[in-house]
Amino acid sequence: AAFCGITGLKPTYGRVSRYGLIAFASSLDQVGPMAWSVADAARLLQAVAGYDPRDSTSLQVPSDDYLAAAAPRDDLRGMRIGVLRGGPAQDGSEPEGLDASIAAAVLRSADVFRQLGATLVGIDLPNSRYGVPTYYVIAPSEASSNLSRYDGAHYGFRASITAEQGAEHGPLVATYCQSRAQGFGSEVKRRIMLGTYALSTGYFDAYYVKALRARRLIRGDYDAAFQKIDAILGPVTPSPAFRLGEKIDNPIEMYLCDLFTVGANLAGIPAISLPAGLDDDGLPIAIQLQAPPLAESSLFRLGAAYQTVTEHHRARPTR
């Protein structure tokens, strides 16, 4: 959503049924609407949110009136928005690795929310620096388990094997190996191997269990912050969209693109990406709001007010 200049919502974990999805990381996967505006995203969420008995992670809680929450408004008095101390909206600086255009967009959006009557509050998320490494232990571990069923015999792609391959390994093993070798791309294989290693005997406690503990600390930081604020403002991505294939040979750099988004997934909280204009090259830039669990309506209220006065969602990329 951020790269494409549209509005995107990641709901609370369990707010929308995952029934029918191909599972990647079961404790992280979510379905969320992508649309031009907050109002359109609210309309989509109103249609898909709710309990589903076919999904064991689906929450049995009533949905809010998202359409009402996303109504145009220009008054946010009483709303409290958290900004990270040391972040661009707090002191105007550009944190390491954050593109100047995005830092400036966060700073401008903070001023918009302040002018609409919201109160900005400095907060700390001390364990957020562990978000990316924690995510890239938990997600590949769950992926290696979920994708083990795609063996060419039960699900998905099935490769044709040669007589030599069948004779060397046996037809069943050869089918497994060739189906997974041909059916999975290099990044999928990389994550399966990483996850299998993290779950292996001797490394399970050192990596996976430790990542789960770090995840709990990250959630604890959010819980503490939301005791005094309604939402957290920040970037979505460290930079505008990069060229197709530009980072394909540098997986670490690709993973760091998730720096500002994995926290919401690890904590199971809702987040929304809002278009914040275009950079000097005509590429979309965006801001992010995160809220407490099941507080999608707060995101819609804040997002609707922001789009009412800025209309950034009406801009179209020039490249």
Side-chain angles (χ1 to χ4, degrees):
F3 284 157
C4 296
I6 61 176
T7 301
L9 176 79
K10 189 208 83 67
T12 303
Y13 183 80
R15 172 66 91 181
V16 179
S17 172
R18 297 184 297 117
Y19 180 77
L21 294 185
I22 294 176
F24 168 61
S26 298
S27 71
L28 301 166
D29 295 344
Q30 276 297 274
V31 176
M34 303 175 78
W36 280 124
S37 67
V38 168
D40 289 344
R43 186 172 289 106
L44 282 167
L45 185 65
Q46 197 77 62
V48 300
Y51 173 66
D52 183 355
R54 296 170 296 184
D55 177 9
S56 62
T57 65
S58 180
L59 298 174
Q60 295 193 54
V61 294
S63 299
D64 295 338
D65 187 346
Y66 301 124
L67 293 176
R73 67 191 70 233
D74 59 5
D75 187 353
L76 292 176
R77 283 177 292 183
M79 300 289 286
R80 298 171 64 84
I81 300 176
V83 292
L84 285 177
R85 294 187 175 92
Q90 180 71 9
D91 59 11
S93 65
E94 298 171 14
E96 184 179 356
L98 184 64
D99 188 90
S101 63
I102 295 179
V106 174
L107 191 61
R108 289 194 302 270
S109 66
D111 288 336
V112 170
F113 287 120
R114 188 183 293 109
Q115 292 167 10
L116 288 168
T119 301
L120 270 60
V121 180
I123 61 167
D124 294 302
L125 297 175
N127 293 294
S128 61
R129 63 184 184 275
Y130 302 124
V132 170
T134 299
Y135 176 87
Y136 281 103
V137 171
I138 293 175
S141 295
E142 296 183 1
S144 71
S145 176
N146 281 323
L147 297 179
S148 64
R149 72 192 72 177
Y150 293 92
D151 53 15
H154 300 93
Y155 298 94
F157 171 77
R158 181 169 186 167
S160 299
I161 61 172
T162 65
E164 292 78 7
Q165 291 169 336
E168 182 179 359
H169 302 290
L172 184 61
V173 173
T175 299
Y176 288 165
C177 294
Q178 290 301 313
S179 295
R180 293 175 70 79
Q182 297 176 30
F184 290 140
S186 58
E187 179 59 30
V188 178
K189 293 175 184 176
R190 184 180 294 116
R191 296 194 184 198
I192 290 174
M193 293 172 66
L194 178 62
T196 302
Y197 178 82
L199 294 175
S200 61
T201 302
Y203 297 98
F204 180 81
D205 290 336
Y207 291 101
Y208 187 67
V209 172
K210 187 173 290 186
L212 292 180
R213 291 171 179 165
R215 180 182 195 171
R216 189 66 192 88
L217 293 175
I218 292 170
R219 173 60 187 264
D221 287 346
Y222 278 107
D223 289 342
F226 288 132
Q227 293 296 315
K228 55 182 180 180
I229 57 175
D230 299 296
I232 297 173
L233 171 66
V236 187
T237 59
S239 68
F242 42 86
R243 292 184 180 276
L244 183 65
E246 180 180 337
K247 301 182 180 182
I248 198 70
D249 296 322
N250 191 338
I252 300 300
E253 194 171 344
M254 286 283 288
Y255 296 166
L256 290 176
C257 291
D258 297 334
L259 179 64
F260 301 110
T261 55
V262 294
N265 283 97
L266 291 170
I269 62 174
I272 194 169
S273 172
L274 300 171
L278 306 174
D279 71 0
D280 292 339
D281 293 324
L283 293 172
I285 51 180
I287 61 167
Q288 175 179 217
L289 291 168
Q290 300 173 328
L294 302 175
E296 287 85 0
S297 290
S298 294
L299 295 179
F300 287 142
R301 280 193 290 271
L302 291 165
Y306 181 77
Q307 292 189 344
T308 296
V309 299
T310 64
E311 296 198 349
H312 286 314
H313 60 294
R314 301 189 187 279
R316 296 294 185 267
T318 58
R319 289 177 56 190

